[in-house]
């Protein structure tokens, strides 16, 4: 009889946990997964997937207006039904949730639809009270929204609840100026809300190149989003009229119908029992792991946002894959975190890979910058005064591209392909040698000055 009930017990069925479990099972491991919410995790259930669908839905506001310039007879005020969009998005989320469950069970992994906690290096207790054992435990519980500890914070929502609103808020205040804040500011603004975005500092999306994020700020303000900087949250009060009065430092009180916190996400380790097994956490509560995703306890590993390395779905998936291949597939390999592309699905979207201009200047002796500042053809005919910006950062000595950043329609789609060239270490010359594909926006990549 086997020494343990399972070879692998995964806690958390999000992107990282599902990939690790499915691949481990396909390598022949006896696998079980516990999930207290829904299989699919943040990305599928309350993150990337439903958010992107809302972004598509919201962008029709602009497309319908622009359609008139292209000869279509579209009324000035088109009707929009939030409940139709919301419920159709839920349907799609349900479909993917089903696919994720199937992918686990088809590979022989057992699913426990309940919370699980660690009680020892090889022992897990399920919410039902049952205790199981596993040779290896994988923590893949992800992260959860951080909510500032201010009076009345319970009156606000986070991105988790934003998908479930009864209606589009008339006025919404979004706290934070990162990915989630800018993406939801764009969605609600397109859908007709009066959006105010506040941040404690005076920058948005601080990890992106300054010129690209400045362009987003400029376009977003032009579209009507109101930004307030150096604004620390002081508190929220409900008024007699049922509105929310928000007080922030350095600014007047702001009255809105909805407050949304998008002030970062914290690793979900609270109450997981990791201390019973002696697993070390960092000061943010993230599980500390080595480059094999192993904790300080030999039988316990962790992948994805719970480790707070790079909070991105494709990275969690790679970590899960590398873990499974290494542990059960006789194919040890580690994740390469160099030149990971990322995008912000704002209106318009932005995307980037590699170093920003300031990072390159700090790291390399000599840097050459090339840009293309252009108005997309479609925007010209639509009379839309919105310019795209592409920026290439090269090593001044070798010409190798060390960073590529862009804002404009379809920027994430274009950048994903261009990221291959950056990852492959190509030079500006290789882009210059490539004939433009005309007329396209992507051709700007090979025409940069
Ligand atoms: P971000 O880290 O992107 O932004 C956090 C924002 O909140 C910043 O503006 C930051 O301010 C502010 N902030 C942080 N801590 C506090 C605090 N204690 N009080 C007040 N303000 C605070 O976080 P998000 O929540 O937007 O997203 C979480 C993560 O999820 C992202 O880092 C990203 O990796 C991932 N994500 C990725 C997406 C994508 O790939 N498209 C989409 C959504 C999320 P300051 O600028 O001063 O630091």
């Amino acid at each position: 009889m086997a020494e343990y009930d399972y070879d692998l017990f995964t806690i958390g069925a999000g992107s990282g946990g599902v990939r690790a479990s499915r691949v481990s099972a396909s390598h022949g491991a006896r696998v079980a997964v516990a999930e207290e919410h829904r299989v699919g995790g943040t990305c599928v259930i309350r993150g990337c997937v439903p958010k992107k669908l809302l972004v598509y839905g919201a962008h029709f506001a602009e497309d319908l207006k622009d359609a008139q310039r292209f000869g279509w007879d579209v009324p000035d005020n088109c009707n929009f039904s939030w409940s139709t969009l919301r419920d159709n998005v839920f349907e799609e989320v349900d479909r993917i949730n089903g696919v994720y469950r199937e992918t686990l069970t088809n590979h022989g992994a057992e699913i426990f639809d309940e919370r699980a906690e660690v009680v020892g290096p090889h022992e897990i207790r399920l919410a039902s009270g049952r205790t199981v054992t596993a040779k290896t435990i994988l923590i893949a519980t992800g992260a959860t929204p951080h909510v500032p500890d201010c009076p009345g914070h319970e009156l606000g929502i986070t991105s988790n609840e934003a998908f479930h609103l009864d209606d589009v808020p008339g006025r919404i205040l979004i706290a934070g100026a990162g990915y989630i804040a800018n993406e939801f500011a764009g969605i609600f603004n397109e859908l007709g809300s009066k959006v105010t975005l506040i941040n404690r500092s005076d920058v948005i999306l601080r990890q992106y190149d300054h010129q690209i994020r400045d362009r987003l700020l400029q376009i977003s303000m032009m579209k009507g989003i109101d930004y307030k900087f150096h604004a620390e949250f002081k508190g929220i009060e409900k008024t007699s009229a049922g509105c929310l009065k928000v007080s922030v430092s350095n600014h007047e009180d702001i009255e809105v119908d909805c407050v949304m916190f998008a002030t970062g996400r914290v690793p979900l380790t609270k109450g997981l029992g990791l201390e019973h097994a002696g697993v070390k956490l960092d000061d943010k509560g993230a599980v500390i792991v080595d480059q094999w995703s192993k904790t300080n306890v030999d039988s316990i590993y962790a992948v994805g946002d719970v480790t707070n390395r790079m909070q991105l779905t494709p990275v969690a998936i790679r970590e899960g894959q590398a873990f499974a291949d290494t542990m059960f597939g006789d194919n040890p390999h580690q994740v390469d975190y160099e030149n990971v592309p990322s995008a912000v699905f704002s209106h318009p979207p932005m995307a980037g890979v590699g170093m920003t201009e300031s990072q390159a200047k700090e790291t390399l002796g000599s840097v050459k910058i090339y840009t293309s500042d252009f108005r997309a053809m479609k925007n010209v005919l639509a009379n839309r005064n919105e310019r795209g910006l592409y920026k290439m950062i090269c090593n001044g000595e070798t010409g190798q591209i060390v960073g590529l950043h862009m804002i404009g329609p379809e920027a994430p789609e274009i950048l994903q392909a261009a990221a291959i060239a950056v990852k492959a270490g190509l030079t500006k010359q290789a882009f210059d040698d490539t004939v433009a594909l005309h007329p396209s926006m992507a051709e700007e990549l090979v025409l940069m000055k």
Side-chain angles (χ1 to χ4, degrees):
M1 199 174 133
E3 193 183 349
Y4 300 105
D5 299 331
Y6 300 99
D7 297 317
L8 173 67
F9 195 102
T10 304
I11 306 183
S15 302
V18 168
R19 175 59 68 95
S21 304
R22 194 254 289 163
V23 176
S24 298
S26 74
H27 287 320
R30 295 169 307 132
V31 179
V33 195
E35 171 56 60
E36 63 178 327
H37 300 301
R38 295 181 74 190
V39 171
T42 299
C43 172
V44 171
I45 308 295
R46 63 194 91 81
C48 323
V49 170
K51 177 276 310 287
K52 182 83 186 271
L53 293 171
L54 290 188
V55 168
Y56 279 131
H59 202 73
F60 276 99
E62 289 185 15
D63 290 339
L64 286 166
K65 276 203 188 91
D66 293 352
Q68 295 182 346
R69 286 281 305 163
F70 288 84
W72 291 92
D73 185 12
V74 178
D76 281 338
N77 291 311
C78 297
N79 292 325
F80 168 72
S81 161
W82 164 254
S83 56
T84 303
L85 174 60
R86 183 198 58 200
D87 296 349
N88 287 344
V89 169
F90 284 156
E91 236 175 68
E92 177 56 8
V93 166
D94 287 346
R95 188 189 67 79
I96 306 178
N97 166 248
V99 171
Y100 266 59
R101 292 188 75 89
E102 259 171 48
T103 197
L104 284 171
T105 48
N106 288 348
H107 284 86
E110 195 176 336
I111 304 173
F112 289 98
D113 289 299
E114 56 187 307
R115 184 171 168 79
E117 290 175 13
V118 175
V119 284
H122 296 281
E123 240 184 323
I124 301 107
R125 192 173 43 240
L126 295 161
S128 60
R130 182 175 160 194
T131 299
V132 294
T133 59
K135 184 156 191 261
T136 303
I137 297 173
L138 180 68
I139 309 298
T141 46
T144 191
H146 159 260
V147 174
D149 187 18
C150 64
H153 65 80
E154 67 286 351
L155 296 169
I157 62 165
T158 68
S159 53
N160 288 350
E161 294 79 32
F163 298 104
H164 296 266
L165 290 173
D166 291 333
D167 219 333
V168 176
R171 299 162 300 174
I172 183 166
L173 179 139
I174 301 179
Y179 283 84
I180 297 177
N182 282 286
E183 292 181 339
F184 274 94
I187 291 168
F188 286 123
N189 183 57
E190 298 281 317
L191 296 180
S193 301
K194 172 67 206 146
V195 179
T196 305
L197 192 148
I198 67 161
N199 200 29
R200 60 179 178 181
S201 66
D202 62 353
V203 287
I204 66 167
L205 293 158
R206 71 166 67 247
Q207 56 280 65
Y208 278 84
D209 188 86
H210 70 279
Q211 264 180 294
I212 304 293
R213 58 181 203 231
D214 282 355
R215 180 62 56 93
L216 177 65
L217 183 61
Q218 178 220 326
I219 296 175
S220 302
M221 285 165 70
M222 214 166 65
K223 288 184 198 279
I225 299 174
D226 193 12
Y227 287 81
K228 294 193 191 304
F229 293 119
H230 298 298
E232 287 270 3
F233 231 89
K234 290 208 290 203
I236 313 176
E237 261 174 57
K238 200 162 201 152
T239 67
S240 51
C243 306
L244 301 176
K245 192 170 85 172
V246 184
S247 32
V248 291
S249 60
N250 301 316
H251 297 271
E252 308 234 301
D253 291 351
I254 306 160
E255 199 177 276
V256 289
D257 305 298
C258 181
V259 172
M260 176 173 160
F261 294 106
T263 46
R265 295 175 58 83
V266 287
L268 199 43
T269 48
K270 217 169 159 194
L272 256 191
L274 291 169
E275 65 283 1
H276 300 311
V279 174
K280 284 198 181 128
L281 307 180
D282 72 9
D283 56 354
K284 294 197 168 71
V287 180
I288 301 172
V289 288
D290 65 12
Q291 60 274 43
W292 299 102
S293 294
K294 185 152 86 78
T295 69
N296 60 307
V297 176
D298 281 346
S299 58
I300 303 186
Y301 288 68
V303 294
D305 287 2
V306 76
T307 64
N308 208 14
R309 285 176 279 187
M310 223 178 238
Q311 290 187 341
L312 294 171
T313 295
V315 172
I317 290 174
R318 290 223 164 192
E319 289 169 356
Q321 178 83 41
F323 161 82
D325 289 344
T326 303
M327 293 296 290
F328 302 107
D330 201 17
N331 173 22
H333 60 99
Q334 296 175 354
V335 176
D336 174 3
Y337 295 92
E338 190 95 352
N339 286 325
V340 172
S342 63
V344 183
F345 294 93
S346 41
H347 295 261
M350 49 191 267
V353 63
M355 288 188 243
T356 61
E357 180 179 341
S358 50
Q359 284 167 343
K361 283 182 172 160
E362 272 168 32
T363 317
L364 307 168
S366 141
V367 172
K368 276 200 177 141
I369 312 284
Y370 304 89
T371 55
S372 176
D373 190 333
F374 64 99
R375 191 143 75 111
M377 209 180 193
K378 188 167 168 240
N379 282 345
V380 177
L381 196 72
N383 269 343
R384 190 169 281 284
N385 186 19
E386 192 178 305
R387 298 183 71 82
L389 178 65
Y390 292 0
K391 180 167 178 182
M392 183 183 277
I393 296 149
C394 297
N395 182 322
E397 304 283 316
T398 62
Q400 187 182 347
I401 306 164
V402 296
L404 191 56
H405 308 275
M406 41 175 74
I407 179 166
E410 309 301 348
E413 305 290 339
I414 298 166
L415 186 103
Q416 173 70 86
I420 300 168
V422 179
K423 184 73 186 158
L426 298 192
T427 58
K428 166 81 163 73
Q429 190 60 49
F431 275 59
D432 291 345
D433 292 344
T434 306
V435 175
L437 191 159
H438 185 71
S440 67
M441 290 177 285
E443 71 180 311
E444 298 298 329
L445 279 175
V446 298
L447 301 171
M448 282 199 222
K449 301 277 185 315

